[in-house]
Amino acid sequence: MTKEGPYCGPYGTWPSPISAAFVARTGMGSSTLPREVRTSGNTVYWIEFHPEEDARYVLMRRSPAGNIDCITPPPLSVRSRVHEYGGGAYAVHQDRIFFVNDSDQAIYVQNGETQAALLTQPSADRRMRFADLALSPDGKWLVAVRERHPPGAQVINDLVAIPLTGEWKTHQLAAGHDFFAAPRFNPAGDALCWLCWDHPNMPWDSAQLSVARFKKGQLQDETLVAGGQDESIYQPEWSPGGDLYFASDRSGWWNLYRFTAGTIEAIMPMEAEFGRPAWLFGYTSYAFLSEDKIAAVYKQAGDAGLGIIDVPGRRMERIESELTSFELPSIAVDKSHTIWFLAGSSSQYPGLWRLSRKTDKLELVHAIGHLDLPEDYISRPEHIAFPSTSGRRAYAYFYPAHNPDCCPPAEDKPPLIVTAHGGPTSCARPHLDAEVQFWTSRGFALLDVDYTGSSGYGRDYRRALYGNWGLADVEDCVYGARFLVDAGRVAPGKLLIRGRSAGGFLALAALTFFDTFAAGASYFGIGDLMTLARNTHKFEEHYLDRLVGPLPQSEAVYRERSPLSHLAKLKRPVILFQGLEDRVVPLEIAQEISNALEDKKLPYAMLTFPGEGHGFKKPETIAGSLEAELEFYQRMLGFTDENSPMRLEIHNLFG
């Protein structure tokens, strides 16, 4: 409330204290979330994204005394590029830290406060990469996933071991599969487990868990434990007593299992996910408190939780809290049995939390992002389910337009922004997000859709997108918007849609094949599926075989689903955002779309950004794109007139 009283202008025009610059400082998207919490003794480590430091990833440390500091000085950036998305970028043994540096993809070692030293040869062109680092219990061996990019040849992935005493020479441990992940030593250090899978599968389709004896940098007596053509294995871990645990979706849900004495047994059967699609290495959804107790984070439809599993009793104690999101999943236990994890809530950006098992006290230890506003400014999500086509049921988080300093005209309804996550196997994250609040505090309602194919709802829901990408997901977003219109919660003529990458493809498809939305925004959206299939990297080389169909026999389907093939049907204004170094979605796609909009004399804007790839990192890019998107929407919905000053160049705005 201002001294003059509340602002009573229309929805979508409200003044807001949440600036685009603030959103940029907290980053944008899953790549900016804190990740990879690890412990060594009672010291805790994790990775943070610092956009203000040339968009680098830094390794943070909390000492047993509670002091928090950054231990990787500039220009070092702790980030792997294996599979292009990376993860598993560091490992700790006592006070020695091993990590992958982004610019050269070499492994460095840092002892305490000393300067980091090279462990492997640097690669200026990133042709030699490492990820998923793991150390033997005695600290004498480092194992990792290696990815080699020979000029003009197929990318090669394998498992390697590096001795940390004497000569640092890389030993190949395992090869012969397209992909490897999760090498982990048993407590005695004489056995190693790992995951592998092959094209056309992604790790959430099919993965195999193997174990072998480890001796002097070699594997012996390999045994297949679990997995196969129709089973996905996630996060193998050894218990303190030496039993091998893992998550499997064999029941239709990623549940926990134990392999002991040659037998596999379920630990906590329930319709909940203790796993995630492994787009990144190093996800951890559970950690051992003891041989009989496991701390775990899980997702159950729209609900997320932290629980303590009693292994002998096959039961779980849920820890009651305000936390709503454990993305990206990361949990660890220190020497004093304190549980450390990364989580967020509807009023808190993801940060470092701890739960003391001695006092059962749950507390936020380190806030990664700060929203310096009273809580009554925050729009809180409501998980909803709604009917879609073919009898399907889809899900979403609905954020009402909200600002305590503003009141809309009576009987007015807010405009709605439908947002589509990427992946497309990712999911909506109902933690505090400054970007969401940027919109809701200005009078836009927002619907974050967990469309068909999203994770967190079981294997059947995830796999229902197979063969239906560009159909089921688009229909879910359309029907979600219509559901809210029918419920009287949003204005029917003021529906917008936006998305990034796969979400941008969804937005472009909705604007091309449906007339539901008044306008939309595509951030480096996939406009042409054939271009994506031709240009994608090894990890996703055959991903579309399942989402759309195998090539070349399904080429007609690719054309049919691609917005770029149907630009004659595109009848809605679009704003396009494109990084000039994007190797996933080339600039030509956005240019073809903008050319079609120009030919039709439809309003459009196109912004390109030097130095940005497939996912924006620079604060000035993030802030500038948000400000441009806001102005575009306000003009498309008639919230501003032709006499108001323009900062954004919108082509064909006035006919």
Side-chain angles (χ1 to χ4, degrees), residues 1 9 220 408 410 412 552 646:
M1 181 78 70
Q220 303 172 357
D412 199 6
M646 290 184 62

Side-chain angles (χ1 to χ4, degrees), residues 571-633:
K571 300 177 182 178
R572 298 292 190 238
V574 184
I575 184 169
L576 302 159
F577 301 94
Q578 182 71 37
L580 294 181
E581 295 184 11
D582 194 329
R583 291 176 174 81
V584 178
V585 177
L587 174 64
E588 290 75 20
I589 299 295
Q591 288 175 329
E592 284 197 51
I593 295 171
S594 65
N595 290 341
L597 291 162
E598 178 62 39
D599 291 342
K600 292 170 173 288
K601 299 304 178 185
L602 283 171
Y604 75 94
M606 180 173 167
L607 281 73
T608 59
F609 300 95
E612 294 284 14
H614 195 67
F616 296 161
K617 297 292 192 297
K618 297 179 181 179
E620 60 270 25
T621 302
I622 296 171
S625 58
L626 268 180
E627 289 171 346
E629 188 181 359
L630 172 63
E631 182 175 351
F632 187 78
Y633 290 161

Side-chain angles (χ1 to χ4, degrees), residues 73 94 104 152 159 179 202 222 287 294 319 321 351 388 411 434 439 527 531 540 574 594 600:
Q94 296 176 356
D104 55 20
L159 281 183
F179 303 100
M202 302 299 284
E222 178 181 337
I294 298 174
I319 305 300
S321 74
S388 189
E411 306 303 321
W439 297 110
T531 299
E540 296 179 70
V574 184
S594 65
K600 292 170 173 288

